């Protein structure tokens, strides 16, 4: 029995139980019948055998997966593996499929998983060792779920789930699950170690003797009590009628049921009859204030101490003691929550604050009486008239509209709304080929259950992000129709991150809801994507503005592109940036190689494509002349091919036309309105400042644009721009400025707010970037 993988954080050792039961020389595997999980901190061992039910670590620590062990083996690399049968919780089933059940589902109910897309071969290190008891009990469809104490460890299954519909369990599956839970074998092994048969048999004989003696005593008590039953019956009926009138329930009835359940969970390994007797007898011993039962079951006490189950025993007792106060509160006055509505109630019961004595058990010891809590009566506090009450489970919400949103009053107003950049069009014209290529790439990865990365580049305003979002929308619709496997979609944007390393934090929060530091998030994500993930869906991640995630060591980019290459990652990354050759310009070789060769380039729109985009947005709204649409399309296509700039000019032209229509008769947008909008768009104070700048200041701006194109990042140092400036001066046959002149030029442009200059004493190593768009700079310097 060799020591296997050890976790450094929790110090848990996994080792095989017994010798190999079989082996496969070709596959170099060894099969085992059980595995022992040992915690070095608590010195507790637990043996899990084939057929038992376990909890498996999920993406979220609060939602583990439920499974049954089918096989345990070791591969040639001495890695521990387990083959499992999954059980799905209702939260793991798509929202649109849950309505097929047509009933409410308890949190304890699971479904026999028959979905073919899940990987049933997992690492044994993902088994949660802290769970002592885990059971999956089969029930018939019309059976109701019993009330159990440990809701997190005992589950019930009625139906199976195959990814499309729910079905009743087959007779063969039902019998196998019933056999796995027969005689509490799963719980016995989960409580750890194998209990010797002589101890179990002797314990059963001993408990039977105690049972006979207690039953005799109980019969005597029943005879004595029956003499007084006639006199007590009238009094009990009167008290019961008073409780019904006051709206209160019989106190401690539910608590006794829970106590019996807890003690049965402790004594379950000794058989059903023994556990029933032990629980009831021990509960009766506590209520009567003696420890006779404990004294007569010394071997049981030794077993609990030997197997480290005594800690669970004590924790349950402490929980009982703490819950007694809560039960007294709930049973003392049933009108506590509605005291403001009842006029007859004059007092409110509340317990006095007392220090609880620690309950200790020894063998044997004198009898102890249970602690009696005496409630103190305090006068009921009446709320002042007019005092607002905070509603329970209050949820903030946006006020509803008192009136419906107004429809566009004119044709020009409707055209202006349709031409807004944020308006979602009915279709994306001129990007059909790019859409199909991206769709095929993601679809193939989803069908294969593998990971991959695609790099998408293009100048701003060419429809990169819009096309990718349309691909995701179509794939999500296909997943709802069961055409492709279900997947999880998340998105991050480099512009919205304060630091590139915050990408780890945002990705982890979107996937699991956890919010941790960047270093811890990177570790958790590496573990998530680099280890076999049980029942993990494929994740589609969009990384927009990829160039802003650049760091000196490039570790963020490296990890993002390295995770999809892992065997069990199931991660698909669609990286979007503005520079086509960004990997070759700024990425190290080890980063660029992991990006791969799957790339997609979005070319700038031509004037015909821009014309088609505007016409498709307007659809049947005849608010523009054909010549006006052609004019704006040609102007923008000659400058940058940015569709967003084209839409902005058209929107401004409709506003100019609307203002003119208020004075005269209504008309449509003509070429004169487009020309005026273009002049306004490109005649801002910034453009005027560039045109009136000195010659070397204009050359400095040209050098800055050239450096942006060379590096692929819209940020550069003064020294880098200075080298470009010298090259441009040599091409024009001009005298190159000195370093002092360059620093003065940079300061003047920064004072005009044309540049954003880093405030530091780094001199030539100061970083600068444009405060206006590159299109405005190019337009202002076009005639110079």
């Amino acid at each position: 029995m060799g020591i296997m993988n050890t976790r450094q954080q929790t110090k848990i050792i996994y080792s095989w139980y017994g010798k190999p039961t079989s082996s496969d020389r070709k596959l170099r595997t060894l099969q085992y019948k059980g595995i022992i999980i040992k915690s070095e901190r608590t010195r507790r061992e637990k043996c899990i055998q084939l057929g038992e039910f376990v909890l498996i670590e999920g993406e979220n620590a609060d939602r583990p997966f439920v499974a049954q062990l089918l096989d345990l083996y070791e591969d040639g690399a001495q890695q521990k593996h387990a083959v499992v049968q999954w059980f799905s919780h209702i939260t793991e089933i798509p929202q649109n499929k849950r309505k097929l059940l047509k009933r409410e589902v308890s949190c304890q109910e699971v479904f026999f998983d028959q979905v073919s897309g899940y990987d049933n071969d997992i690492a044994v290190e993902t088994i949660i060792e802290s769970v002592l008891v885990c059971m999956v009990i089969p029930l018939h469809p019309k059976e109701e779920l019993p009330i159990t104490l440990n809701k997190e460890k005992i589950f019930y299954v009625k139906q199976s789930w195959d990814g499309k519909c729910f079905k009743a369990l087959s007779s063969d599956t039902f019998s196998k699950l019933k056999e796995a839970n027969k005689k509490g074998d799963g719980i016995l092994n989960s409580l750890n170690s194998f209990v010797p048969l002589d101890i179990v048999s002797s314990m059963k004989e001993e408990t039977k003797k105690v049972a006979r003696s207690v039953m005799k005593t109980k019969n005597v008590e029943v005879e004595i009590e029956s003499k007084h039953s006639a006199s007590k019956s009238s009094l009990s009926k009167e008290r019961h009628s008073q409780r019904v009138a006051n709206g209160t329930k019989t106190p401690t009835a539910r608590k006794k049921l829970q106590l019996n359940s807890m003690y049965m969970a402790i004594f379950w390994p000794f058989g059903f009859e023994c556990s029933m007797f032990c629980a009831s007898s021990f509960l009766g011993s506590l209520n009567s204030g003696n420890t006779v039962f404990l004294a007569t079951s010394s071997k049981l006490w030794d077993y609990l101490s030997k197997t480290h189950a005594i800690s669970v025993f004590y924790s349950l007792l402490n929980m009982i003691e703490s819950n007694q106060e809560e039960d007294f509160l709930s049973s003392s006055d049933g009108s506590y929550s509605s005291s403001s509505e009842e006029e007859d109630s004059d007092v409110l019961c509340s317990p006095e604050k007392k220090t609880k004595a620690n309950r200790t058990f020894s063998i044997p010891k004198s009898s102890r009486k249970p602690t009696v809590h005496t409630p103190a009566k305090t006068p009921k506090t009446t709320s002042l008239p007019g005092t607002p009450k905070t509603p329970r489970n209050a949820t903030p919400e946006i006020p509803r509209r008192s009136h419906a949103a107004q429809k566009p009053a004119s044709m020009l107003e409707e055209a202006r709304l349709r031409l807004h950049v944020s308006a979602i069009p009915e279709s994306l014209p001129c990007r059909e080929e790019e859409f199909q290529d991206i769709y095929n790439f993601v679809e193939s990865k989803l069908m294969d259950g593998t990971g991959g990365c695609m790099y998408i580049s293009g100048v701003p305003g060419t429809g990169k992000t819009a096309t990718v979002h349309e691909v995701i929308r179509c794939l999500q619709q296909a997943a709802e129709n069961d055409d492709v496997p279900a997947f999880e979609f998340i998105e991050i944007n480099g512009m919205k991150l304060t630091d590139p390393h915050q990408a780890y934090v945002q990705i982890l929060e979107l996937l699991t809801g956890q919010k941790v530091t960047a270093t811890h998030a990177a570790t958790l994500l590496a573990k998530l994507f680099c280890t076999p993930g049980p029942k993990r869906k494929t994740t589609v991640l969009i990384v927009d503005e990829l160039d802003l995630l650049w760091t000196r060591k490039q570790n963020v980019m490296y990890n993002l592109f390295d995770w999809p290459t892992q065997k069990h990652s199931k991660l698909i990354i669609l990286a979007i940036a503005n520079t086509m050759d960004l990997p070759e310009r700024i990425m190290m070789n080890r980063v660029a190689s992991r990006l791969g060769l799957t790339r997609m380039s979005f070319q700038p729109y031509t004037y015909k494509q821009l014309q088609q985009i505007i016409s498709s947005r307007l659809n049947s709204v005849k608010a523009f002349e054909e010549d006006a649409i052609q004019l704006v399309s040609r102007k923008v296509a000659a400058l940058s091919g940015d569709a967003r700039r084209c839409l902005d000019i058209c929107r401004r032209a409709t506003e100019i036309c609307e203002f003119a229509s208020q004075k005269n008769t209504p008309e449509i947008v003509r070429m004169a309105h487009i020309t005026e909008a273009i002049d306004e768009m490109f005649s801002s104070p910034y453009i005027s400042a560039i045109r009136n700048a000195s010659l070397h200041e204009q050359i400095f701006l040209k050098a800055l644009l050239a450096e942006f194109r060379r590096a692929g990042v819209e940020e550069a140092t003064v020294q880098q721009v200075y080298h470009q400036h010298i090259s441009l001066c040599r091409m024009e046959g001009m005298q190159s400025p000195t370093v002092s002149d360059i620093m003065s030029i940079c300061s003047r442009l920064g004072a005009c707010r044309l540049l954003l200059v880093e405030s530091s004493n780094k001199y030539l190593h100061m970083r600068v970037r444009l405060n206006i768009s590159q299109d405005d700079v190019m337009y202002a310097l076009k005639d110079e």
Side-chain angles (χ1 to χ4, degrees), residues 28 32 54 191 213 301 455 474 535 554 586 625 674 676 681 708 722 732 781:
R28 300 176 61 189
Y32 292 85
V54 292
L191 280 175
S213 60
W301 193 265
Y455 178 70
C474 293
K535 301 185 69 175
Q554 301 188 15
I586 69 171
E625 284 184 347
I674 294 292
E676 185 177 351
M681 189 75 65
F708 287 171
Y722 181 49
E732 298 293 335
L781 299 176

Side-chain angles (χ1 to χ4, degrees), residues 313-529:
F313 183 79
Y314 278 132
S315 62
L316 287 173
L317 292 177
N318 292 333
M319 184 173 64
I320 296 166
E321 189 173 1
S322 61
N323 287 342
Q324 282 179 349
E325 292 183 0
E326 298 176 4
D327 274 12
F328 185 83
L329 279 176
S330 60
S331 60
S332 60
D333 189 5
S335 60
Y336 180 79
S337 59
S338 58
S339 60
S340 59
E341 299 177 0
E342 297 183 2
E343 298 178 358
D344 300 334
S345 303
D346 296 331
V347 294
L348 178 66
C349 295
S350 61
E352 293 181 353
K353 294 184 179 179
K354 292 187 177 182
T355 58
K356 294 191 298 181
N358 293 329
R359 176 173 294 178
T360 58
F361 294 88
S362 60
I363 305 173
K365 212 171 188 179
S366 59
S367 61
R368 272 194 327 115
K369 295 184 178 180
T371 307
V372 179
H373 300 276
T374 57
K377 296 184 179 181
T378 56
K380 183 182 71 175
T381 57
T382 57
S383 57
L384 297 175
T387 304
K389 296 182 179 180
T390 303
R392 291 187 177 181
N393 302 325
T395 305
E397 58 181 12
I398 301 175
R400 298 184 179 273
R401 290 178 181 268
S402 56
H403 302 286
Q406 295 182 357
K407 295 183 178 181
S410 63
M411 180 176 58
L412 289 174
E413 185 178 353
E414 184 177 357
R416 179 161 48 84
L417 294 175
R418 292 190 177 191
L419 291 171
H420 199 281
V421 177
S422 63
I424 301 175
E426 297 178 359
S427 62
L428 288 174
C430 310
R431 292 302 181 207
E432 291 81 7
E433 293 183 6
E434 291 83 353
F435 172 88
Q436 196 62 45
D437 290 342
I438 300 173
Y439 186 94
N440 292 339
F441 172 79
V442 180
E443 183 187 33
S444 63
K445 299 298 182 184
L446 289 175
M447 299 300 292
D448 297 339
T450 58
C453 183
M454 173 181 275
Y455 178 70
I456 302 170
S457 62
V459 297
T462 52
K464 302 183 297 298
T465 306
T467 304
V468 171
H469 282 165
E470 183 66 16
V471 168
I472 297 300
R473 189 190 65 81
C474 293
L475 285 171
Q476 287 175 337
Q477 186 174 359
E480 292 181 359
N481 299 331
D482 298 325
D483 296 331
V484 297
F487 64 94
E488 192 168 2
F489 165 65
I490 57 176
E491 180 182 8
I492 62 172
N493 192 313
M495 289 288 290
K496 299 179 181 179
L497 301 176
T498 57
D499 181 77
H501 294 88
Q502 289 298 313
Y504 299 134
V505 179
Q506 191 166 350
I507 293 173
L508 184 67
E509 186 176 3
L510 291 172
L511 281 176
T512 65
Q514 304 179 42
K515 197 165 185 180
V516 297
T517 61
T519 305
H520 191 196
T523 305
L524 294 177
L525 289 174
K527 179 183 177 182
L528 179 65
F529 294 124

Side-chain angles (χ1 to χ4, degrees), residues 725-767:
H725 194 114
I726 293 174
S727 300
L728 290 176
C729 289
R730 288 175 181 173
M731 291 175 59
E732 298 293 335
M734 299 174 56
Q735 184 179 359
S736 301
T738 62
V739 175
S740 300
D741 294 336
I742 285 293
M743 296 302 299
S744 301
I745 291 171
C746 186
S747 299
R748 287 198 298 271
L749 293 175
C752 297
R753 303 303 295 170
L754 293 174
L755 296 180
L756 295 177
V757 184
E758 185 180 14
S759 57
S760 65
N761 298 325
K762 294 181 180 180
Y763 200 53
L764 285 176
H765 297 285
M766 287 192 308
R767 294 191 171 272

Side-chain angles (χ1 to χ4, degrees), residues 207-226:
T207 50
K208 286 180 180 178
K209 294 178 182 178
V210 177
R212 294 191 192 99
S213 60
V214 172
M215 290 301 295
K216 290 180 181 179
T217 309
K218 229 173 185 181
N219 292 335
V220 176
E221 291 178 355
V222 169
E223 292 179 1
I224 298 174
E225 192 173 350
S226 61

Side-chain angles (χ1 to χ4, degrees), residues 164-307:
K164 295 183 179 180
C165 60
F166 297 92
K167 298 179 182 178
L169 294 176
S170 64
S171 57
D172 184 41
T173 303
F174 191 92
S175 60
K176 288 182 179 179
L177 293 175
K178 202 75 174 178
E179 185 69 21
N181 291 281
K182 193 176 182 181
K183 297 181 181 180
D185 289 339
I187 300 181
L188 175 59
N189 294 326
S190 297
L191 280 175
N192 183 22
S193 81
F194 304 98
V195 183
L197 294 177
D198 56 344
I199 295 181
V200 176
S201 58
S202 61
M203 278 305 308
K204 288 186 177 180
E205 292 297 330
E206 188 174 329
T207 50
K208 286 180 180 178
K209 294 178 182 178
V210 177
R212 294 191 192 99
S213 60
V214 172
M215 290 301 295
K216 290 180 181 179
T217 309
K218 229 173 185 181
N219 292 335
V220 176
E221 291 178 355
V222 169
E223 292 179 1
I224 298 174
E225 192 173 350
S226 61
K227 299 179 181 179
H228 304 280
S229 59
S231 59
K232 287 185 178 180
S233 59
S234 58
L235 181 60
S236 62
K237 289 181 181 179
E238 182 180 356
R239 289 179 178 176
H240 176 70
S241 60
Q242 290 178 359
R243 282 195 295 268
V244 172
N246 294 333
T248 59
K249 298 181 180 180
T250 304
T252 70
R254 184 179 179 185
K255 177 55 61 180
K256 289 182 179 179
L257 176 63
Q258 292 182 354
L259 290 177
N260 278 315
S261 302
M262 280 189 286
Y263 293 128
M264 282 185 65
I266 296 175
F267 300 113
W268 185 270
F270 306 103
F272 178 76
E273 297 178 358
C274 180
S275 63
M276 284 286 293
F277 168 70
C278 292
S280 58
S281 301
F282 182 66
L283 183 60
S285 302
L286 288 181
N287 292 336
S288 60
N290 63 74
T291 55
V292 177
F293 177 75
L294 291 177
T296 57
S297 58
S298 58
K299 289 189 178 181
L300 172 63
W301 193 265
D302 294 338
Y303 168 72
L304 292 176
S305 303
K306 182 179 179 181
T307 58

